[in-house]
Amino acid sequence: MPGSSETPSRAERGLAQVARAGRTVLQHSGEIAILLRDIVAALVGLRVSLRSILRQMYVMGVQSLPIVILTAVLAGIVTSQQGGYQFTGAIPLYVLGSIVAESVVLEMGPVLTAIVLVGRVGARITAELGTMKVSEQIDAFYSVGRDPVSILAAPRVVAGIIVVPILVAVANLVGILAGMVSAQLTVGLGPNSFLYGARLYWQSWDLFYSLTKALVFGFTIPVVAIHMGLRTEGGAEGVGKTTTQAVMFMTLAVLIMDALFPPLLLD
């Protein structure tokens, strides 16, 4: 009837939610594309300070090293203990070396390191830039003719690309050594037998695969963190909300890309 309002059906509400979600995804994608364009322009134009890159490498790399090593040790121990527990007499014990090495290098090392960096580095970047955004420090850069992308964004992305593969390489080595020690203590597998099993099924491609994962994660984490930080609104409450969302987005991005790697590089 004229002038009467009809209640939207469940299907209409569902379509509206899908449309809003699609619009949000497209908006984030467009903003990230613009951010990447500006970062590339800053790097090509040599407007990025080497000192800023080194400072970010120290923050992301050196300061993250203890927690990365601790995580790798625990990953190696757990993988070794679980593998040894599931072994039966029909399987040679030295195969445990291969299980630990392949599990750590292909999966545990890069993924756990990335998750640790999401919480330690990604959340920090989002909170720092978000605080600068809501306190109008970003606008102050523009007002004095300075580019915040070349000062704040590009050094963090470059540092992430350089540092994360190094951290993953350290995590792989530490995880394998921790697994070897755990195997000797729990199932009596000596270092020589462990390393024999690790070399038996080892392929050079495995290391390339692991470091490629690390490179992608090292690029994705700071890009998402910077993007979320620069779009923060709403004061201190907005900083907390945006940081929480950024951690969720970064974690999902790491897990989704990790799921895409096997069909792309291992088939």
Side-chain angles (χ1 to χ4, degrees):
M1 295 178 60
S4 64
S5 60
E6 297 182 359
T7 303
S9 66
R10 182 176 299 178
E12 291 173 337
R13 292 195 299 269
L15 289 175
Q17 291 176 354
V18 171
R20 285 195 296 269
R23 182 177 61 185
T24 301
V25 170
L26 291 176
Q27 182 180 4
H28 280 283
S29 300
E31 292 175 357
I32 289 176
I34 294 173
L35 174 63
L36 292 177
R37 180 202 64 187
D38 294 342
I39 290 174
V40 171
L43 292 172
V44 172
L46 301 179
R47 301 197 306 270
V48 182
S49 168
L50 179 60
R51 179 177 298 179
S52 298
I53 294 175
L54 294 176
R55 186 185 308 118
Q56 295 303 323
M57 288 176 62
Y58 176 79
V59 172
M60 293 184 186
V62 177
Q63 293 186 354
S64 299
L65 196 57
I67 185 64
V68 168
I69 291 176
L70 177 60
T71 304
V73 168
L74 296 176
I77 291 174
V78 170
T79 304
S80 178
Q81 289 178 342
Q82 290 292 333
Y85 173 76
Q86 296 174 3
F87 268 26
T88 63
I91 302 176
L93 200 56
Y94 62 77
V95 177
L96 181 60
S98 176
I99 293 176
V100 173
E102 294 294 304
S103 298
V104 169
V105 171
L106 295 179
E107 191 68 23
M108 305 291 281
V111 174
L112 290 182
T113 300
I115 297 298
V116 167
L117 294 178
V118 164
R120 193 198 174 279
V121 174
R124 176 174 180 169
I125 292 174
T126 303
E128 286 180 352
L129 298 187
T131 302
M132 296 178 70
K133 182 66 163 46
V134 299
S135 62
E136 300 182 351
Q137 295 181 53
I138 302 294
D139 295 332
F141 280 113
Y142 286 115
S143 66
V144 297
R146 303 188 68 184
D147 180 17
V149 172
S150 61
I151 299 172
L152 302 174
R156 287 173 166 83
V157 174
V158 174
I161 292 173
I162 296 173
V163 162
V164 175
I166 298 174
L167 291 176
V168 169
V170 172
N172 290 342
L173 179 61
V174 171
I176 293 173
L177 293 177
M180 181 173 65
V181 173
S182 176
Q184 184 172 21
L185 295 177
T186 55
V187 297
L189 180 64
N192 292 333
S193 298
F194 182 94
L195 294 175
Y196 171 76
R199 292 193 303 268
L200 194 61
Y201 300 100
W202 175 260
Q203 300 179 28
S204 300
W205 180 260
D206 296 341
L207 182 59
F208 174 81
Y209 177 87
S210 179
L211 296 182
T212 302
K213 268 189 180 182
L215 184 66
V216 174
F217 295 158
F219 169 79
T220 302
I221 291 172
V223 167
V224 175
I226 292 165
H227 161 67
M228 294 300 294
L230 293 179
R231 72 190 315 270
T232 303
E233 297 176 350
E237 183 179 355
V239 173
K241 181 179 179 180
T242 303
T243 302
T244 302
Q245 292 175 343
V247 170
M248 178 185 68
F249 291 150
M250 286 183 285
T251 303
L252 287 175
V254 167
L255 295 178
I256 290 172
M257 288 185 295
D258 181 58
L260 293 175
F261 262 89
L264 292 175
L265 294 182
L266 290 183
D267 282 351

